[in-house]
Amino acid sequence: MEKWLSDDSRVLFEALVPSFTGPSRLDRMVGLAELMQGKGLLADAARLSRKVLAESRGQSLASQRARRLLGANIPDWHYSILQDQVRLEAYERAIRATVTPGSLVLDVGTGSGILAMMAARAGAGLVVACERDPAVAQVATKIVARNNLSDRIRIVACASSALRVGGELPRRAEVVISELFSATLLGESVLPTMAQARRELLTADAPAVPRRATIHVALVRAEKRFHKPVGMVAGFDLLDFNVLGPPFHVCGHASPEALLSDAAELFSLDLTGCDPVSDARASVELRVSRAGAAVGVLQWWEGELSEGVILSTAPGAPSTSWGQCFTPFDESLPVVAGQTVTVHGWHSSDQLAVWV
Ligand SMILES: C[S@@+](CC[C@H](N)C(=O)[O-])C[C@H]1O[C@@H](n2cnc3c(N)ncnc32)[C@H](O)[C@@H]1O
């Protein structure tokens, strides 16, 4: 019997597998994988899909369906972040500066395993790398093996909250690395994730990569990349439709010329998990630097990965795979140089809002 199936899937598999013979074998297997996926048996669906791919010779409908299943819940950004040289170089520098020879490193959210492999290259004795998406964790295991690092990197397919010291981690980890940055900074729950890791999985003084981040705001004039509120459409007034729109959107990279005010730091956040995670409010005065019609607030972050190693998503900084966030005003605001405009902000453990 196939050893890799979970108990639930095994029952399903044993009942159906004898009929998987002949030319339709792969189609039936992928059909079963789709059924498993529908039942939430994601790890088994992924393994079965990979088996279909391994047995397929060339492309076929079964192999296309298997690939679709494997990638079903995998966000596209995995591919852009792996080609973001600014991000990778900053992380490699910070990891080299932080990981001490022989240390036990915890990598939270390993994805492809790239940061874990950087930590191993920097001299870590063992990297325990967790990934909550089982399909991604399976591929990371394969990647680590292909790079001959299986003896120093342990990929664990679970959320960091499920890791145990004395279980997957032989002792509390001496360094923690992660890349849980969203465009708003907080959307991937970096604050509560690091707090839990600090409490349960790390030594008290374990350094973290990244260790701090700041959130910045400035007023901006209209640019094509900023969505305009809906107004007259085909001669009809659709203004009311705007109430359903999100309060902000990720707008790519605004040009520095779009800024109508100086930038100001709205929040400074500890990412080591040492500070208690709580909601916070702040207000900053933005000094208008040039006259124009301000259409909203642009927001971005700067992460301090290790001392002096800064990863920035600011307008004008080397372009990364993250965009900035744009919060539109209901109506544009005419501003003149020297005037000040107050911007307010609030954040929870994983959300951020700004308004004037
Ligand atoms: C932005 S990706 C970064 C992947 C990789 N570390 C890199 O730098 O390329 C974040 C990954 O972390 C995983 N993840 C997020 N929170 C997690 C958690 N608490 N425990 C385990 N995995 C997590 C996501 O599934 C995703 O694959």
Side-chain angles (χ1 to χ4, degrees):
M1 188 59 228
E2 304 279 341
K3 283 219 174 53
W4 42 262
L5 289 167
S6 69
D7 289 347
D8 282 353
S9 309
R10 189 173 300 129
V11 173
L12 210 57
F13 198 88
E14 276 174 353
L16 296 175
V17 83
S19 64
F20 297 164
T21 54
S24 63
R25 173 179 157 75
L26 294 182
D27 294 307
R28 288 168 180 227
M29 273 168 65
V30 80
L32 178 56
E34 285 166 353
L35 202 65
M36 287 169 164
Q37 181 105 342
K39 296 258 175 231
L41 301 167
L42 304 185
D44 295 325
R47 288 193 187 98
L48 193 50
S49 301
R50 262 206 299 282
K51 201 166 158 59
V52 170
L53 287 180
E55 287 189 27
S56 302
R57 277 191 216 96
Q59 290 196 337
S60 63
L61 180 55
S63 72
Q64 294 299 85
R65 283 166 71 192
R67 286 202 59 168
R68 189 184 59 79
L69 269 184
L70 274 175
N73 300 310
I74 312 302
D76 283 356
W77 47 246
H78 273 293
Y79 297 93
S80 54
I81 66 175
L82 288 173
Q83 290 168 48
D84 177 345
Q85 289 308 323
V86 175
R87 179 188 92 104
L88 293 172
E89 280 165 23
Y91 263 95
E92 177 111 55
R93 271 203 294 145
I95 286 171
R96 275 190 194 286
T98 309
V99 170
T100 45
S103 53
L104 173 60
V105 176
L106 170 63
D107 177 16
V108 177
T110 199
S112 62
I114 183 69
L115 302 186
M117 292 190 287
M118 285 181 183
R121 182 153 67 190
L126 176 68
V127 186
V128 174
C130 64
E131 171 51 56
R132 67 183 172 195
D133 185 311
V136 176
Q138 282 170 20
V139 178
T141 306
K142 203 169 167 187
I143 290 173
V144 163
R146 188 190 284 277
N147 287 279
N148 301 317
L149 286 167
S150 302
D151 55 336
R152 289 170 57 210
I153 298 177
R154 189 179 294 166
I155 303 283
V156 188
C158 71
S160 48
S161 54
L163 290 174
R164 296 287 168 259
V165 173
E168 302 82 0
L169 273 166
R171 58 186 187 278
R172 283 182 173 259
E174 290 126 15
V175 178
V176 62
I177 58 178
S178 70
E179 196 275 74
L180 301 174
F181 289 134
S182 70
T184 64
L185 182 76
L186 302 175
E188 286 191 43
S189 300
V190 61
L191 295 181
T193 302
M194 283 303 126
Q196 183 268 337
R198 178 69 51 185
R199 239 180 5 253
E200 295 174 20
L201 307 173
L202 305 176
T203 60
D205 57 355
V209 175
R211 56 192 212 168
R212 270 211 97 69
T214 46
I215 294 172
H216 303 257
V217 286
L219 298 178
V220 277
R221 68 177 188 209
E223 279 206 331
K224 268 207 182 115
R225 75 195 79 241
F226 305 148
H227 299 173
K228 280 198 295 206
V230 174
M232 297 300 288
V233 178
F236 300 105
D237 182 345
L238 269 75
L239 209 61
D240 287 334
F241 204 64
N242 291 314
V243 74
L244 301 177
F248 72 86
H249 66 267
V250 181
C251 63
H253 299 269
S255 57
E257 295 73 43
L259 303 193
L260 291 180
S261 74
D262 297 342
E265 183 182 302
L266 189 59
F267 292 108
S268 175
L269 296 157
D270 170 80
L271 301 183
T272 67
C274 292
D275 272 5
V277 178
S278 55
D279 290 16
R281 283 175 178 256
S283 299
V284 285
E285 298 272 307
L286 294 181
R287 199 191 62 83
V288 174
S289 49
R290 64 179 112 152
V295 293
V297 177
L298 191 73
Q299 148 214 327
W300 63 90
W301 51 259
E302 289 187 355
E304 188 187 8
L305 303 190
S306 64
E307 192 172 348
V309 181
I310 306 291
L311 184 58
S312 171
T313 65
S319 178
T320 67
S321 40
W322 293 278
Q324 295 129 19
C325 297
F326 172 67
T327 303
F329 297 149
D330 294 335
E331 286 172 21
S332 69
L333 179 70
V335 291
V336 293
Q339 169 188 354
T340 58
V341 175
T342 307
V343 170
H344 307 283
W346 162 88
H347 77 79
S348 64
S349 63
D350 61 356
Q351 289 184 56
L352 180 71
V354 302
W355 67 96
V356 290

